[in-house]
Amino acid sequence: MSPTIQHFTTTKGVKITRDAANDPVSSPIFSPLPVNTGLFINNEFVAAKDGKTLDTVNPSNGKVIAKVSEAGPEDVDLAVHAAEKAYNDVWSKTSGKTRSRLMHKLADILESHAEELAQIETLDNGKGISFSRGFDVAELIQCFRYYAGWADKIHGKVIDTEGAFSFTRHEPIGVCGAIIPWNFPLLMLAWKIAPALATGNTVVLKTSELTPLSGLKFASLVAEAGFPPGVINIITGYGPRAGDALARHSKVGKIAFTGSTNVGRLVMKAAAESNLKKVTLELGGKSPNIIFDDADLDEAVKWAHHGIFFNHGQTCCAGSRVYVQEGVYDEFLKRFSKISRDTKIGDPFDEGNFQGPQVSETQYNRIMSYIEHGIKEGAKVATGGKRHGTEGYFIEPTVFTDVKEDMKIMQEEIFGPVVAVAKFKTLEEVIEKAHLTEYGLAAAVFTQNVTKALEVSALLKAGTVWVNCVNQLDYNTPFGGYRQSGFGRENGKYALDNYTQIKTVKVNLTRSTRST
């Protein structure tokens, strides 16, 4: 059973409590578990200036968990000025060694609160508790530790030039803004904040209005770690008000956005219309998963299942288009349909369940409309296609066959547990089909032929290509897209470039000639 909640007498927070009679012992709920629901600005939780709040909803039952302060443009301005002051007065003068120490300390504190963070993530987002623990929270902690190691290693180069001593400095940008989505709230927070801090920037981050609670719990641990006021600011609000204000703010020197391609265009436009700030965008995907005749079929089936149904299909790099070579198509479809039908769906706090609810009623309705549209266009439902249960936003894992490349379900990102399986004959044919969308975020290849795997990996226009696996993300390997899946790379050393600017310094070594 999902945890229940008690409201504080103030408007700033809630307490999540355990229903001891129903919660499984393997999934303990801390009682009480305070989560402050104000705006975290300058190391303090405050109400929105206009007093507005928004509801965050438990997707397992559609009930309101808590009211959260909703940031507007005035609140964004306060957060940005707090970040600017912190940068000018303290953070720009803080050594990499000290930044590293603070980030390591924060990682230790996050680890001590790992179970609480996992419970909050599952409650607010609906993802399975085992995934919240083993992936989201674990990667959050590792990401901060990884970038803590980079904090004292940001440096330029000496360049041999005639007549001058020339060197470069890799300097922080200043105030960085971040707008994150609802599918991986803690993970996306880490991917934005950790490299920004390591390179010496301060941050204003806007959580999704659908899943704000884990980010706010994270915020409560920032001051405990010893970060100066204003270095990290976390607010919640809607995109058209808070997100647009952050992207347009003239004091923000860089904006990082993860979300849909359409909203990414709006963020880029807002950034261009204000101060031409630096922009990185990680956007949508419609990733092809290519399975050749010589693949290990058992492994291909298992990975294809994980590739689309992990996180309930709410993954930008999900393998939502599966292309299977004709020699193994029938057998693959038989096995894949069975494993999809057998997927355990239900209460995300039950560790036996693989798939929980979609994040919101809006998202549920959107996915169901795609399923209906696919059927109308003539695609065949091999399994699934219906609501699961009578409460919450659960959808059966859905497998389509008999699809055509111009169908809506083949062209548009559904962001749910819906996959299309198609047949192909030759390598050349499948490469052509793989590129028949506007996206280029990721792709997967299944074959036991190393030469073929490397050949196809080189041909695919995608930011990540997985070979004999899908959806394997790590804090130390870069992630980002080609084409309309965005630009810039997150994770690994490559992400540091997003948060630095390069200065060239040239010292004249030649003597000028003067007449006497």
Side-chain angles (χ1 to χ4, degrees):
M1 295 289 290
S2 298
T4 56
I5 61 100
Q6 283 183 329
H7 285 272
F8 282 141
T9 53
T10 69
T11 60
K12 293 185 180 179
V14 296
K15 289 182 180 179
I16 303 173
T17 62
R18 180 176 177 233
D19 181 349
N22 294 314
D23 280 330
V25 175
S26 62
S27 190
I29 301 294
F30 289 83
S31 179
L33 177 61
V35 180
N36 203 310
T37 55
L39 307 173
F40 186 71
I41 300 174
N42 219 32
N43 276 15
E44 294 181 347
F45 285 97
V46 297
K49 282 295 182 181
D50 59 10
K52 287 188 176 181
T53 62
L54 55 85
D55 292 338
T56 185
V57 174
N58 181 349
S60 292
N61 56 27
K63 297 179 180 178
V64 174
I65 302 170
K67 291 185 179 297
V68 177
S69 293
E70 179 204 333
E74 188 176 0
D75 303 297
V76 171
D77 192 55
L78 289 173
V80 170
H81 281 289
E84 183 188 36
K85 187 175 190 305
Y87 178 78
N88 291 334
D89 294 352
V90 180
W91 203 238
S92 63
K93 302 176 178 67
T94 301
S95 68
K97 180 179 179 180
T98 299
R99 295 198 305 272
S100 177
R101 178 182 58 78
L102 289 170
M103 293 178 71
H104 275 299
K105 186 175 181 180
L106 178 57
D108 290 341
I109 293 171
L110 292 171
E111 189 167 41
S112 70
H113 290 269
E115 180 63 20
E116 301 169 56
L117 288 163
Q119 297 287 349
I120 294 167
E121 196 79 319
T122 291
L123 173 67
D124 207 18
N125 172 276
K127 66 180 65 201
I129 186 65
S130 59
F131 294 109
S132 290
R133 288 180 185 136
F135 181 72
D136 296 69
V137 175
E139 287 291 313
L140 163 78
I141 296 164
Q142 288 298 328
C143 186
F144 272 91
R145 286 189 172 139
Y146 174 80
Y147 282 107
W150 274 111
D152 60 354
K153 301 173 184 67
I154 310 298
H155 54 74
K157 297 180 180 180
V158 173
I159 302 170
D160 185 16
T161 55
E162 184 177 352
F165 173 58
S166 303
F167 62 95
T168 60
R169 291 173 50 86
H170 291 202
E171 298 182 345
I173 293 169
V175 179
C176 294
I179 302 172
I180 62 172
W182 45 260
N183 58 334
F184 293 98
L186 285 173
L187 194 64
M188 295 297 100
L189 175 150
W191 286 14
K192 303 292 190 290
I193 293 180
L197 294 178
T199 48
N201 299 280
T202 57
V203 184
V204 178
L205 179 139
K206 188 193 86 66
T207 71
S208 167
E209 68 276 10
L210 296 177
T211 54
L213 295 182
S214 60
L216 294 174
K217 180 62 183 178
F218 169 90
S220 70
L221 306 176
V222 167
E224 183 180 342
F227 281 89
V231 172
I232 300 173
N233 305 273
I234 297 179
I235 59 177
T236 298
Y238 293 103
R241 292 187 76 223
D244 182 74
L246 186 58
R248 289 183 184 279
H249 205 290
S250 61
K251 298 292 186 179
V252 174
K254 183 260 189 302
I255 191 80
F257 172 78
T258 296
S260 72
T261 298
N262 287 337
V263 177
R265 291 190 180 97
L266 296 177
V267 170
M268 194 172 181
K269 181 180 179 182
E273 290 176 347
S274 57
N275 59 345
L276 283 175
K277 60 176 60 66
K278 195 171 186 178
V279 178
T280 53
L281 303 174
E282 196 269 280
L283 307 175
K286 194 69 177 174
S287 300
N289 181 359
I290 302 169
I291 299 168
F292 286 96
D293 284 345
D294 64 350
D296 181 326
L297 207 55
D298 287 336
E299 287 297 304
V301 168
K302 292 175 185 176
W303 279 109
H305 179 271
H306 177 79
I308 181 59
F309 300 126
F310 170 62
N311 207 45
H312 323 160
Q314 297 171 154
T315 308
C316 54
C317 52
S320 55
R321 292 183 295 145
V322 178
Y323 294 101
V324 186
Q325 201 160 20
E326 59 184 4
V328 294
Y329 176 85
D330 291 339
E331 184 62 23
F332 173 87
L333 183 60
K334 176 183 174 182
R335 297 189 197 182
F336 185 60
S337 296
K338 183 181 186 306
I339 194 175
S340 300
R341 280 193 299 270
D342 292 343
T343 301
K344 292 185 177 180
I345 314 169
D347 180 4
F349 282 92
D350 182 343
E351 292 190 39
N353 290 327
F354 180 86
Q355 183 179 315
Q358 307 311 130
V359 74
S360 68
E361 183 177 16
T362 298
Q363 185 65 10
Y364 168 88
N365 290 333
R366 181 176 182 271
I367 296 166
M368 293 303 296
S369 72
Y370 272 106
I371 293 173
E372 293 168 5
H373 202 281
I375 295 170
K376 288 179 181 178
E377 284 192 309
K380 178 182 176 182
V381 177
T383 186
K386 300 176 183 177
R387 180 191 183 109
H388 176 84
T390 58
E391 183 181 56
Y393 313 127
F394 297 86
I395 297 176
E396 293 176 346
T398 301
V399 178
F400 275 108
T401 61
D402 296 347
V403 293
K404 297 179 180 179
E405 295 301 323
D406 60 352
M407 287 182 174
K408 189 175 182 179
I409 59 172
M410 289 292 279
Q411 290 297 313
E412 297 184 13
E413 185 177 40
I414 299 172
F415 225 63
V418 181
V419 61
V421 182
K423 187 187 299 184
F424 75 93
K425 290 184 179 182
T426 66
L427 185 153
E428 293 75 18
E429 175 192 355
V430 77
I431 293 297
E432 181 181 358
K433 288 182 175 181
H435 295 147
L436 291 178
T437 73
E438 63 187 15
Y439 299 109
L441 188 56
V445 180
F446 284 83
T447 176
Q448 296 185 71
N449 185 318
V450 174
T451 301
K452 185 189 297 181
L454 294 177
E455 179 186 3
V456 174
S457 298
L459 291 171
L460 288 168
K461 298 173 183 176
T464 296
V465 178
W466 291 292
V467 176
N468 296 329
C469 61
V470 189
N471 278 348
Q472 296 299 284
L473 304 173
D474 294 283
Y475 52 87
N476 55 5
T477 53
F479 183 78
Y482 285 20
R483 301 195 290 175
Q484 292 192 44
S485 287
F487 50 82
R489 292 296 179 266
E490 297 189 295
N491 292 344
K493 181 181 178 182
Y494 293 85
L496 301 173
D497 294 338
N498 299 335
Y499 297 94
T500 56
Q501 49 196 349
I502 298 173
K503 176 185 289 180
T504 298
V505 180
K506 300 181 81 68
V507 181
N508 182 26
L509 298 179
T510 61
R511 293 186 179 183
S512 58
T513 308
R514 295 186 303 172
S515 58
T516 57

